Amino acid sequence: MTTTAPVPTPSVWKVGVVASVHTETPTARSIMIDVPGWGGNLAGQHLDLRLSAPDGYQAVRSYSVASAGPGERLELAVDRLPDGEVSPYLVDDLQVGDELEIRGPLGGWFVWRPEQTGPVQLIGGGSGIVPLMAMARAHAASGSTARFKLLYSVRSPHDVFFAEELASLASEHFEVTWVYTRSTPTAWPTPAGRLTPAVLEAATIPASENPAVFVCGPTGFVESVADWLVALGHPAASVKTERFGGK
């Protein structure tokens, strides 16, 4: 498996202003932020976000960017962690017009560029969909005909990020497979259950087609999926991963 290669960290913090917020799930929302001087980002990059308290205490967290391309507006999508320090504020308290300090964009390895023409397999667990959504959007915006498949593992239909937009992106060049781990939509053809090697093999682009593979989600999910992909014959160098949280 591959990990993000070290890249220089931009040292300049920019002040962004919240332009809008949108509820994605009962515990998550997307946040549109206008950041003068941002200059755009590649699909899959992330940023650092810094909050400062009146007493001077500061907290910095890294978030994947859900948007891609040029411009000074970017989108984040944040899931509230029960014991989190920053995410509860971003999900529950942040208001339109509030200011946030932003540093980035960061990362040059876990990215997809429109000039890439080979097949791409995206695999997301929970809020790990965020950087993959940026890639799906960049794929659609560029008119790319590269074959894209997304396998999205979520607990239930209520936990899906970007549900309507993902449905609208479906085309001959972009296919989504859903894996519901706890509950399914009505009349869903398969019972709820965790992703397995057999489902992974059946639902993804085979190694023989040499796809670029991007996996993002909780650490345990990412490590299991990456191991299964290598066992299915995918070269480790073609499996790029990003993870968050504990096991």
Side-chain angles (χ1 to χ4, degrees), residues 152-156 159 178-184 191-195 221:
Y152 188 7
S153 174
V154 289
R155 289 171 295 187
S156 75
D159 296 301
W178 305 88
V179 174
Y180 296 101
T181 61
R182 296 186 183 177
S183 63
T184 70
R194 289 182 178 275
L195 180 64
F221 173 87

PDB file of all heavy atoms in Angstrom, residues 152-156 159 178-184 191-195 221:
ATOM      1  N   TYR A 152     -19.203   2.409  -2.036  1.00  0.00           N
ATOM      2  CA  TYR A 152     -19.439   3.275  -0.878  1.00  0.00           C
ATOM      3  C   TYR A 152     -20.080   2.442   0.234  1.00  0.00           C
ATOM      4  O   TYR A 152     -21.206   1.967   0.089  1.00  0.00           O
ATOM      5  CB  TYR A 152     -20.349   4.432  -1.308  1.00  0.00           C
ATOM      6  CG  TYR A 152     -20.549   5.536  -0.292  1.00  0.00           C
ATOM      7  CD1 TYR A 152     -19.846   5.598   0.905  1.00  0.00           C
ATOM      8  CD2 TYR A 152     -21.461   6.557  -0.552  1.00  0.00           C
ATOM      9  CE1 TYR A 152     -20.043   6.627   1.808  1.00  0.00           C
ATOM     10  CE2 TYR A 152     -21.667   7.597   0.338  1.00  0.00           C
ATOM     11  CZ  TYR A 152     -20.955   7.630   1.519  1.00  0.00           C
ATOM     12  OH  TYR A 152     -21.156   8.647   2.414  1.00  0.00           O
ATOM     13  N   SER A 153     -19.344   2.276   1.324  1.00  0.00           N
ATOM     14  CA  SER A 153     -19.822   1.517   2.479  1.00  0.00           C
ATOM     15  C   SER A 153     -20.305   2.480   3.557  1.00  0.00           C
ATOM     16  O   SER A 153     -19.534   3.324   4.035  1.00  0.00           O
ATOM     17  CB  SER A 153     -18.682   0.638   3.027  1.00  0.00           C
ATOM     18  OG  SER A 153     -19.074  -0.009   4.212  1.00  0.00           O
ATOM     19  N   VAL A 154     -21.586   2.341   3.922  1.00  0.00           N
ATOM     20  CA  VAL A 154     -22.181   3.216   4.942  1.00  0.00           C
ATOM     21  C   VAL A 154     -23.077   2.383   5.850  1.00  0.00           C
ATOM     22  O   VAL A 154     -23.520   1.294   5.483  1.00  0.00           O
ATOM     23  CB  VAL A 154     -23.021   4.356   4.324  1.00  0.00           C
ATOM     24  CG1 VAL A 154     -22.146   5.369   3.654  1.00  0.00           C
ATOM     25  CG2 VAL A 154     -24.051   3.795   3.365  1.00  0.00           C
ATOM     26  N   ARG A 155     -23.366   2.934   7.030  1.00  0.00           N
ATOM     27  CA  ARG A 155     -24.186   2.187   7.985  1.00  0.00           C
ATOM     28  C   ARG A 155     -25.626   2.034   7.510  1.00  0.00           C
ATOM     29  O   ARG A 155     -26.234   0.972   7.652  1.00  0.00           O
ATOM     30  CB  ARG A 155     -24.153   2.892   9.347  1.00  0.00           C
ATOM     31  CG  ARG A 155     -22.814   2.783  10.053  1.00  0.00           C
ATOM     32  CD  ARG A 155     -22.747   3.654  11.266  1.00  0.00           C
ATOM     33  NE  ARG A 155     -22.818   5.075  10.916  1.00  0.00           N
ATOM     34  CZ  ARG A 155     -22.647   6.065  11.762  1.00  0.00           C
ATOM     35  NH1 ARG A 155     -22.431   5.809  13.035  1.00  0.00           N
ATOM     36  NH2 ARG A 155     -22.695   7.329  11.359  1.00  0.00           N
ATOM     37  N   SER A 156     -26.201   3.105   6.988  1.00  0.00           N
ATOM     38  CA  SER A 156     -27.613   3.085   6.596  1.00  0.00           C
ATOM     39  C   SER A 156     -27.856   4.157   5.536  1.00  0.00           C
ATOM     40  O   SER A 156     -27.000   5.022   5.301  1.00  0.00           O
ATOM     41  CB  SER A 156     -28.495   3.373   7.815  1.00  0.00           C
ATOM     42  OG  SER A 156     -28.443   4.754   8.137  1.00  0.00           O
ATOM     43  N   ASP A 159     -27.098   7.719   6.504  1.00  0.00           N
ATOM     44  CA  ASP A 159     -25.718   8.121   6.741  1.00  0.00           C
ATOM     45  C   ASP A 159     -24.954   8.431   5.459  1.00  0.00           C
ATOM     46  O   ASP A 159     -23.738   8.607   5.495  1.00  0.00           O
ATOM     47  CB  ASP A 159     -24.992   7.005   7.498  1.00  0.00           C
ATOM     48  CG  ASP A 159     -25.577   6.785   8.873  1.00  0.00           C
ATOM     49  OD1 ASP A 159     -25.576   7.730   9.672  1.00  0.00           O
ATOM     50  OD2 ASP A 159     -26.065   5.665   9.142  1.00  0.00           O
ATOM     51  N   TRP A 178     -23.374   0.309  -3.583  1.00  0.00           N
ATOM     52  CA  TRP A 178     -23.628   0.644  -2.180  1.00  0.00           C
ATOM     53  C   TRP A 178     -23.496  -0.609  -1.328  1.00  0.00           C
ATOM     54  O   TRP A 178     -24.016  -1.669  -1.683  1.00  0.00           O
ATOM     55  CB  TRP A 178     -25.037   1.206  -2.002  1.00  0.00           C
ATOM     56  CG  TRP A 178     -25.326   2.390  -2.879  1.00  0.00           C
ATOM     57  CD1 TRP A 178     -25.811   2.368  -4.143  1.00  0.00           C
ATOM     58  CD2 TRP A 178     -25.125   3.770  -2.556  1.00  0.00           C
ATOM     59  NE1 TRP A 178     -25.929   3.650  -4.629  1.00  0.00           N
ATOM     60  CE2 TRP A 178     -25.520   4.526  -3.671  1.00  0.00           C
ATOM     61  CE3 TRP A 178     -24.651   4.438  -1.415  1.00  0.00           C
ATOM     62  CZ2 TRP A 178     -25.467   5.916  -3.686  1.00  0.00           C
ATOM     63  CZ3 TRP A 178     -24.597   5.814  -1.433  1.00  0.00           C
ATOM     64  CH2 TRP A 178     -25.000   6.542  -2.557  1.00  0.00           C
ATOM     65  N   VAL A 179     -22.827  -0.468  -0.199  1.00  0.00           N
ATOM     66  CA  VAL A 179     -22.776  -1.532   0.804  1.00  0.00           C
ATOM     67  C   VAL A 179     -23.296  -0.941   2.110  1.00  0.00           C
ATOM     68  O   VAL A 179     -22.670  -0.036   2.680  1.00  0.00           O
ATOM     69  CB  VAL A 179     -21.342  -2.063   0.996  1.00  0.00           C
ATOM     70  CG1 VAL A 179     -21.299  -3.071   2.145  1.00  0.00           C
ATOM     71  CG2 VAL A 179     -20.832  -2.703  -0.287  1.00  0.00           C
ATOM     72  N   TYR A 180     -24.463  -1.414   2.558  1.00  0.00           N
ATOM     73  CA  TYR A 180     -25.059  -0.935   3.809  1.00  0.00           C
ATOM     74  C   TYR A 180     -24.717  -1.928   4.910  1.00  0.00           C
ATOM     75  O   TYR A 180     -24.999  -3.124   4.798  1.00  0.00           O
ATOM     76  CB  TYR A 180     -26.574  -0.806   3.663  1.00  0.00           C
ATOM     77  CG  TYR A 180     -26.987   0.229   2.645  1.00  0.00           C
ATOM     78  CD1 TYR A 180     -27.384  -0.151   1.368  1.00  0.00           C
ATOM     79  CD2 TYR A 180     -26.963   1.580   2.968  1.00  0.00           C
ATOM     80  CE1 TYR A 180     -27.752   0.802   0.422  1.00  0.00           C
ATOM     81  CE2 TYR A 180     -27.327   2.543   2.032  1.00  0.00           C
ATOM     82  CZ  TYR A 180     -27.721   2.143   0.759  1.00  0.00           C
ATOM     83  OH  TYR A 180     -28.079   3.095  -0.164  1.00  0.00           O
ATOM     84  N   THR A 181     -24.117  -1.424   5.982  1.00  0.00           N
ATOM     85  CA  THR A 181     -23.602  -2.335   7.001  1.00  0.00           C
ATOM     86  C   THR A 181     -24.602  -2.615   8.120  1.00  0.00           C
ATOM     87  O   THR A 181     -24.488  -3.634   8.802  1.00  0.00           O
ATOM     88  CB  THR A 181     -22.308  -1.782   7.615  1.00  0.00           C
ATOM     89  OG1 THR A 181     -22.588  -0.523   8.243  1.00  0.00           O
ATOM     90  CG2 THR A 181     -21.251  -1.596   6.531  1.00  0.00           C
ATOM     91  N   ARG A 182     -25.574  -1.711   8.364  1.00  0.00           N
ATOM     92  CA  ARG A 182     -26.504  -1.925   9.485  1.00  0.00           C
ATOM     93  C   ARG A 182     -27.959  -1.974   9.059  1.00  0.00           C
ATOM     94  O   ARG A 182     -28.740  -2.741   9.609  1.00  0.00           O
ATOM     95  CB  ARG A 182     -26.308  -0.832  10.540  1.00  0.00           C
ATOM     96  CG  ARG A 182     -24.934  -0.874  11.175  1.00  0.00           C
ATOM     97  CD  ARG A 182     -24.810   0.114  12.312  1.00  0.00           C
ATOM     98  NE  ARG A 182     -23.454   0.113  12.869  1.00  0.00           N
ATOM     99  CZ  ARG A 182     -23.047   0.908  13.835  1.00  0.00           C
ATOM    100  NH1 ARG A 182     -23.905   1.779  14.380  1.00  0.00           N
ATOM    101  NH2 ARG A 182     -21.801   0.851  14.278  1.00  0.00           N
ATOM    102  N   SER A 183     -28.367  -1.151   8.126  1.00  0.00           N
ATOM    103  CA  SER A 183     -29.748  -1.205   7.629  1.00  0.00           C
ATOM    104  C   SER A 183     -29.755  -0.755   6.179  1.00  0.00           C
ATOM    105  O   SER A 183     -28.908   0.045   5.760  1.00  0.00           O
ATOM    106  CB  SER A 183     -30.684  -0.334   8.463  1.00  0.00           C
ATOM    107  OG  SER A 183     -30.319   1.032   8.377  1.00  0.00           O
ATOM    108  N   THR A 184     -30.724  -1.274   5.421  1.00  0.00           N
ATOM    109  CA  THR A 184     -30.772  -1.022   3.981  1.00  0.00           C
ATOM    110  C   THR A 184     -32.041  -0.257   3.618  1.00  0.00           C
ATOM    111  O   THR A 184     -32.991  -0.198   4.408  1.00  0.00           O
ATOM    112  CB  THR A 184     -30.766  -2.345   3.200  1.00  0.00           C
ATOM    113  OG1 THR A 184     -32.028  -3.008   3.420  1.00  0.00           O
ATOM    114  CG2 THR A 184     -29.627  -3.248   3.645  1.00  0.00           C
ATOM    115  N   PRO A 191     -29.047  -8.283   2.176  1.00  0.00           N
ATOM    116  CA  PRO A 191     -29.142  -7.857   3.574  1.00  0.00           C
ATOM    117  C   PRO A 191     -27.974  -6.970   3.969  1.00  0.00           C
ATOM    118  O   PRO A 191     -26.926  -6.970   3.314  1.00  0.00           O
ATOM    119  CB  PRO A 191     -29.115  -9.196   4.337  1.00  0.00           C
ATOM    120  CG  PRO A 191     -28.390 -10.133   3.437  1.00  0.00           C
ATOM    121  CD  PRO A 191     -28.753  -9.729   2.043  1.00  0.00           C
ATOM    122  N   ALA A 192     -28.179  -6.219   5.052  1.00  0.00           N
ATOM    123  CA  ALA A 192     -27.093  -5.381   5.554  1.00  0.00           C
ATOM    124  C   ALA A 192     -25.957  -6.258   6.056  1.00  0.00           C
ATOM    125  O   ALA A 192     -26.173  -7.354   6.583  1.00  0.00           O
ATOM    126  CB  ALA A 192     -27.611  -4.485   6.679  1.00  0.00           C
ATOM    127  N   GLY A 193     -24.741  -5.768   5.898  1.00  0.00           N
ATOM    128  CA  GLY A 193     -23.581  -6.517   6.370  1.00  0.00           C
ATOM    129  C   GLY A 193     -22.307  -5.808   5.982  1.00  0.00           C
ATOM    130  O   GLY A 193     -22.285  -4.989   5.064  1.00  0.00           O
ATOM    131  N   ARG A 194     -21.270  -6.124   6.706  1.00  0.00           N
ATOM    132  CA  ARG A 194     -19.985  -5.496   6.431  1.00  0.00           C
ATOM    133  C   ARG A 194     -19.435  -5.915   5.070  1.00  0.00           C
ATOM    134  O   ARG A 194     -19.753  -6.988   4.561  1.00  0.00           O
ATOM    135  CB  ARG A 194     -18.975  -5.866   7.520  1.00  0.00           C
ATOM    136  CG  ARG A 194     -19.242  -5.215   8.865  1.00  0.00           C
ATOM    137  CD  ARG A 194     -18.155  -5.599   9.867  1.00  0.00           C
ATOM    138  NE  ARG A 194     -18.353  -4.952  11.158  1.00  0.00           N
ATOM    139  CZ  ARG A 194     -17.914  -3.729  11.447  1.00  0.00           C
ATOM    140  NH1 ARG A 194     -17.245  -3.057  10.532  1.00  0.00           N
ATOM    141  NH2 ARG A 194     -18.136  -3.195  12.631  1.00  0.00           N
ATOM    142  N   LEU A 195     -18.608  -5.050   4.527  1.00  0.00           N
ATOM    143  CA  LEU A 195     -17.925  -5.363   3.284  1.00  0.00           C
ATOM    144  C   LEU A 195     -17.049  -6.605   3.493  1.00  0.00           C
ATOM    145  O   LEU A 195     -16.378  -6.740   4.524  1.00  0.00           O
ATOM    146  CB  LEU A 195     -17.060  -4.177   2.872  1.00  0.00           C
ATOM    147  CG  LEU A 195     -16.261  -4.314   1.570  1.00  0.00           C
ATOM    148  CD1 LEU A 195     -17.191  -4.451   0.375  1.00  0.00           C
ATOM    149  CD2 LEU A 195     -15.337  -3.109   1.396  1.00  0.00           C
ATOM    150  N   PHE A 221     -11.060  -0.095   8.421  1.00  0.00           N
ATOM    151  CA  PHE A 221     -11.674  -0.311   7.115  1.00  0.00           C
ATOM    152  C   PHE A 221     -10.614  -0.235   6.017  1.00  0.00           C
ATOM    153  O   PHE A 221     -10.525  -1.111   5.149  1.00  0.00           O
ATOM    154  CB  PHE A 221     -12.758   0.745   6.891  1.00  0.00           C
ATOM    155  CG  PHE A 221     -13.371   0.756   5.519  1.00  0.00           C
ATOM    156  CD1 PHE A 221     -14.452  -0.063   5.217  1.00  0.00           C
ATOM    157  CD2 PHE A 221     -12.881   1.597   4.525  1.00  0.00           C
ATOM    158  CE1 PHE A 221     -15.026  -0.058   3.954  1.00  0.00           C
ATOM    159  CE2 PHE A 221     -13.450   1.615   3.264  1.00  0.00           C
ATOM    160  CZ  PHE A 221     -14.521   0.785   2.982  1.00  0.00           C
TER     161      PHE A 221
END
